Amino acid sequence: MSVLPLLEVDDLHVTFNTASGPVHAVDGVSFTMAPGASLGVVGESGSGKSVTARALLRLFAITDDVRVSGSVHFDGADLLRVDERRLRHVRGGQIGMIFQDPLTSLNPLMAVGEQIAESLRLHRGMGRAEAASEAVELLARVGIADPEKRATELPSSFSGGMRQRVMISLAIACRPRLLIADEPTTALDVTVQAEILLLLDELRRSEGMALMLITHDFGVVAATCEDVQVMYAGKLVEKASMTHLFDRANHPYTEGLLRLVPRFEDAHTGRLHPIPGQPPITGGGGSSCAFAPRCAHAFDRCHREIPPEVAVGPEHLSACWLAADRAKEGTEAGRPWRRTP
Amino acid sequence: MSDAVVVGSTLDTGSPEPEEAAGPRGVLEVNDVMVEFDTDAGRITAVDGVSLHLATGETLGLVGESGCGKSTLARAIMQLVPMQRGSVRLEGTDLGTLPRRELRRMRHRIQMVFQDPRGSLDPRMSVSTIIGEPLRVHGIGDRTSRARAVAEAMELVGLPTAVSDRLPSELSGGQQQRVGIARAIVTDPAVLVCDEPVSALDVSIQAQIINVLDELRDELDLAMLFIAHDLSVVRHLSDRVAVMYLGQIVETGTASEVFTEPRHPYTQGLITSVPRADAESATRLQTARRLVLGELPSLLDPPSGCRYRTRCPYADDECAATEPPPEAVDHTDGLHSLRCHHWRDIAVRSGAQPSSNSQEQAP
């Protein structure tokens, strides 16, 4: 038997009550992460990938009318049921988070070194002087040159990439066992993105922390994650190791996502293949496959029953009525999106 | 009438701008454009001597990272920001010398598509009014012909007639961008300038809009300047590309040549940095990190000599002392050119594999 999971999410549901009715943003999601694991969560906007991450820490806006059910076991406790005090300790302590726009998560009026030191005093019980010097060390760890000087500066004096580094140093300050990164490089230039992705990968390996990376870009996942799960309308539709997914993407939605972006290594090879239609705005909660209306392979059953997760390979699951057939085809012919020789 | 003089002077200089060399006279000719801005901290040169040309039916991709000047260049071409130097010729007419009124008359031949479709559409106007507005502003046609042109433009971009009377806020992001494109093509422009037209859209919508632009280019024989930071999208759409760094074009050529045989260390770094969905993804990023060092210098204090030298692993004293002029790669008839003193000594790095380069192999 493998090691005990660090994170065990079971049948997570998140429903927002909005003016236009309930939105099932997360609709029965279950997965586990081992200590030190790296998991990419991929999907379009509105697929529920960010809400899943926020639900793990009950991070909702005070104005959200939200209902959460299921369980999120982290380090022995169900985070959906622990009290606020314990949860605050986990947030930014055992679980670190970084987001797309670091500016919204940093205090604009406080020197970055102070912000990191504050977190160290709060979560690691350090004294003022110790926290200040540890903050400088953390800035150096994430590749910020001249850290003593930069620690005294406000977030606004950092470039986008450097600001994301500050955010990462803040997130790892308390040696979290899990780092959740939600589109951490989407706003960055491509060379800066490369550096941040390498930094996340190096930190994961050196600190032994697990990394959950939420993105719409399979390339970003390929650079940083060993495992990947694809979400659609609040459900996990496919889970696999990254290398396995490249060779044998099974779910039609995954295949669609892989095919719809131009791949850098291809010269112009005709028109792209957008997935027709749009994701349902009310999320999941239906009684059929949510992807069926957009799926070229859908048949009667897809419109009547929700497909279960089917094992289509070692640690490879696909929630599709055609999963078994497609797994067979895939091993014979490979997928159309694969690199052509 | 002054053609002979122009040709003569070009020959006399001995080193024509390779960006301009050997190409046919284009529908858009941008020559030695310089744009400076005053900021709180001092004067910056956002665009520094850029020349490029576009032929009918051709797409030129303009790539580079934040602050490289690509959007400023687009605005200078559109005559939306003043130029300190240089010229922009549209179908042979120098836009910079036109009186305001004449310039307005020319504008319908060059149109722009913006990044944020929502922000660039008047929220109180209906879709058909928005699309028809440039025709009314330019006084083109009568009511009937305008309505016909609007209907045609809507069909070309794939907007159903049913949305004619809707407001922008009632449309999806993808439909809003289709409205932006329809408005740009309704005046039958010769040149379409697209500034990050898909970067604000969700991935599945991006693919639709890219296809729309691709089809339009073919059907309308548009010359397209396509500005984007997403290299995969640029490669997909462009015939030629120009790579900008700190206000200058550092490398240009056909898309296939620049992307498969990049010569400039910055282009090599940029291409290698693109995360690709394959097993070598992480290794490739390691290589990228060795090609683009440190941070982007400030435009307030640009490096002497070669702009890229502060981040370049190959830089030496010569790079600090003299600015490399654009130089043509020999076997490409001047289409592929770059600004680098040492490009002959730097291995081609296709980025297809994380291959090692000559420096790393040296003992």
Side-chain angles (χ1 to χ4, degrees):
Chain A
M1 194 52 208
S2 55
V3 277
L4 278 173
L6 172 70
L7 176 72
E8 198 167 8
V9 176
D10 189 40
D11 199 27
L12 181 69
H13 289 257
V14 180
T15 307
F16 292 95
N17 284 313
T18 71
S20 42
V23 173
H24 305 277
V26 181
D27 186 20
V29 161
S30 304
F31 64 94
T32 60
M33 281 184 78
S38 52
L39 172 68
V41 184
V42 182
E44 287 169 276
S45 307
S47 60
K49 54 193 197 301
S50 290
V51 179
T52 300
R54 278 160 52 198
L56 303 185
L57 289 166
R58 294 179 7 217
L59 279 178
F60 296 106
I62 203 147
T63 49
D64 284 341
D65 180 1
V66 63
R67 208 169 59 240
V68 182
S69 69
S71 65
V72 175
H73 282 278
F74 179 81
D75 204 24
D78 183 352
L79 297 185
L80 296 186
R81 282 164 189 87
V82 299
D83 60 31
E84 269 294 324
R85 235 191 67 167
R86 172 82 195 271
L87 192 63
R88 270 202 302 275
H89 192 68
V90 174
R91 287 181 193 148
Q94 290 155 291
I95 301 182
M97 287 154 298
I98 54 175
F99 301 97
Q100 179 174 336
D101 182 6
L103 257 196
T104 59
S105 334
L106 291 169
N107 182 342
L109 301 175
M110 197 188 224
V112 300
E114 267 181 70
Q115 298 190 44
I116 300 168
E118 186 183 66
S119 174
L120 290 167
R121 295 209 304 274
L122 194 72
H123 289 288
R124 278 167 68 184
M126 286 185 181
R128 206 164 276 274
E130 193 192 0
S133 76
E134 174 77 10
V136 169
E137 223 157 89
L138 278 160
L139 289 173
R141 290 267 337 259
V142 296
I144 289 177
D146 200 1
E148 288 89 358
K149 180 172 162 282
R150 302 306 307 260
T152 63
E153 295 177 9
L154 296 176
S156 55
S157 65
F158 289 76
S159 67
M162 285 296 142
R163 225 175 265 154
Q164 196 57 287
R165 285 175 195 267
V166 170
M167 199 55 227
I168 292 170
S169 71
L170 191 59
I172 63 163
C174 302
R175 301 190 181 130
R177 304 186 62 200
L178 170 65
L179 179 66
I180 300 175
D182 190 354
E183 300 272 9
T185 59
T186 304
L188 302 177
D189 278 320
V190 62
T191 60
V192 182
Q193 165 170 278
E195 287 174 19
I196 297 294
L197 294 178
L198 286 171
L199 175 64
L200 287 174
D201 192 48
E202 284 159 10
L203 287 172
R204 177 176 75 84
R205 289 167 198 277
S206 64
E207 306 287 307
M209 68 182 184
L211 173 70
M212 181 190 294
L213 194 141
I214 296 159
T215 175
H216 61 275
D217 186 339
F218 276 106
V220 166
V221 178
T224 48
C225 298
E226 277 150 23
D227 298 309
V228 61
Q229 51 194 30
V230 180
M231 286 193 75
Y232 186 78
K235 278 189 157 56
L236 291 178
V237 295
E238 186 157 11
K239 293 189 223 185
S241 72
M242 199 62 223
T243 47
H244 206 81
L245 194 83
F246 287 147
D247 290 341
R248 288 170 212 132
N250 182 284
H251 199 282
Y253 179 60
T254 312
E255 190 183 28
L257 280 181
L258 283 162
R259 289 185 70 193
L260 68 82
V261 287
R263 289 183 318 143
F264 181 78
E265 50 273 42
D266 295 338
H268 191 155
T269 47
R271 307 282 187 245
L272 298 174
H273 307 276
I275 306 170
Q278 279 174 22
I281 51 167
T282 52
S287 56
S288 58
C289 172
F291 188 60
R294 302 175 74 187
C295 182
H297 308 282
F299 62 109
D300 313 349
R301 190 170 196 182
C302 309
H303 299 285
R304 283 198 322 263
E305 287 173 77
I306 296 175
E309 289 180 351
V310 180
V312 291
E315 297 184 46
H316 186 172
L317 297 173
S318 174
C320 174
W321 287 118
L322 293 169
D325 293 347
R326 291 171 63 80
K328 248 181 270 162
E329 286 164 34
T331 49
E332 282 161 21
R335 291 276 165 242
W337 55 268
R338 285 186 68 190
R339 189 197 301 259
T340 40
Chain B
M1 40 184 174
S2 61
D3 268 4
V5 179
V6 173
V7 171
S9 68
T10 310
L11 289 175
D12 285 348
T13 61
S15 61
E17 293 278 299
E19 290 127 8
E20 278 292 289
R25 285 183 73 88
V27 59
L28 181 72
E29 288 170 73
V30 173
N31 193 32
D32 197 27
V33 163
M34 180 190 251
V35 180
E36 292 181 331
F37 287 124
D38 283 315
T39 69
D40 292 345
R43 199 162 180 80
I44 59 165
T45 306
V47 178
D48 188 6
V50 167
S51 301
L52 52 87
H53 61 87
L54 257 177
T56 297
E58 185 182 47
T59 300
L60 173 66
L62 192 57
V63 300
E65 299 183 277
S66 315
C68 73
K70 55 191 195 298
S71 290
T72 305
L73 175 62
R75 277 159 182 77
I77 290 171
M78 298 298 296
Q79 304 293 305
L80 298 173
V81 293
M83 302 184 293
Q84 269 63 43
R85 199 178 74 203
S87 65
V88 175
R89 297 174 82 89
L90 177 65
E91 300 181 300
T93 306
D94 187 341
L95 298 182
T97 60
L98 287 182
R100 183 183 289 260
R101 198 144 167 214
E102 298 284 307
L103 179 62
R104 272 186 68 155
R105 283 230 321 258
M106 282 298 288
R107 269 205 201 283
H108 69 99
R109 298 293 290 162
I110 183 164
Q111 290 284 322
M112 195 159 175
V113 176
F114 298 91
Q115 174 176 356
D116 175 17
R118 188 177 285 254
S120 61
L121 306 177
D122 189 323
R124 296 155 304 176
M125 285 188 188
S126 72
V127 164
S128 58
T129 314
I130 290 171
I131 297 172
E133 199 187 18
L135 295 173
R136 285 189 304 280
V137 169
H138 295 296
I140 299 169
D142 54 28
R143 188 180 278 267
T144 329
S145 71
R146 281 181 213 148
R148 198 167 53 231
V150 168
E152 271 171 29
M154 285 180 68
E155 195 184 333
L156 278 167
V157 302
L159 278 173
T161 7
V163 303
S164 293
D165 299 326
R166 303 228 180 112
L167 296 174
S169 58
E170 298 172 287
L171 305 180
S172 67
Q175 283 182 325
Q176 288 172 349
Q177 192 56 298
R178 284 175 203 258
V179 173
I181 297 169
R183 179 181 56 182
I185 60 163
V186 77
T187 59
D188 190 25
V191 179
L192 197 61
V193 176
C194 303
D195 190 4
E196 298 277 7
V198 299
S199 55
L201 304 171
D202 206 5
V203 275
S204 57
I205 312 297
Q206 279 194 7
Q208 296 171 13
I209 298 299
I210 290 165
N211 281 350
V212 167
L213 291 170
D214 206 0
E215 283 157 24
L216 285 178
R217 191 244 327 254
D218 293 351
E219 282 192 37
L220 304 179
D221 233 5
L222 282 167
M224 203 153 81
L225 182 63
F226 187 85
I227 300 168
H229 67 277
D230 185 329
L231 298 190
S232 308
V233 171
V234 170
R235 178 163 195 191
H236 179 79
L237 276 176
S238 306
D239 303 303
R240 288 186 297 120
V241 288
V243 181
M244 279 187 82
Y245 184 79
L246 288 188
Q248 293 184 334
I249 292 180
V250 296
E251 182 161 13
T252 182
T254 62
S256 63
E257 188 148 334
V258 170
F259 284 132
T260 55
E261 289 181 42
R263 302 279 182 162
H264 196 287
Y266 177 61
T267 314
Q268 295 183 353
L270 206 55
I271 286 170
T272 318
S273 298
V274 177
R276 292 180 224 167
D278 63 28
E280 287 84 47
S281 202
T283 330
R284 207 179 289 108
L285 297 192
Q286 300 280 4
T287 311
R289 181 154 61 176
R290 293 195 294 272
L291 289 166
V292 188
L293 309 173
E295 271 201 273
L296 189 71
S298 165
L299 278 171
L300 286 163
D301 185 22
S304 66
C306 171
R307 296 286 191 283
Y308 189 59
R309 70 172 171 85
T310 55
R311 309 184 74 189
C312 180
Y314 307 101
D316 61 12
D317 294 347
E318 188 188 5
C319 305
T322 34
E323 183 173 320
E327 197 178 335
V329 177
D330 317 312
H331 61 278
T332 57
D333 304 327
L335 270 179
H336 189 176
S337 75
L338 73 159
R339 286 173 182 266
C340 175
H341 289 305
H342 302 308
W343 69 270
R344 284 172 207 279
D345 305 322
I346 296 170
V348 168
R349 183 188 296 275
S350 76
Q353 302 91 29
S355 59
S356 57
N357 62 48
S358 51
Q359 262 207 351
E360 287 154 14
Q361 282 166 353

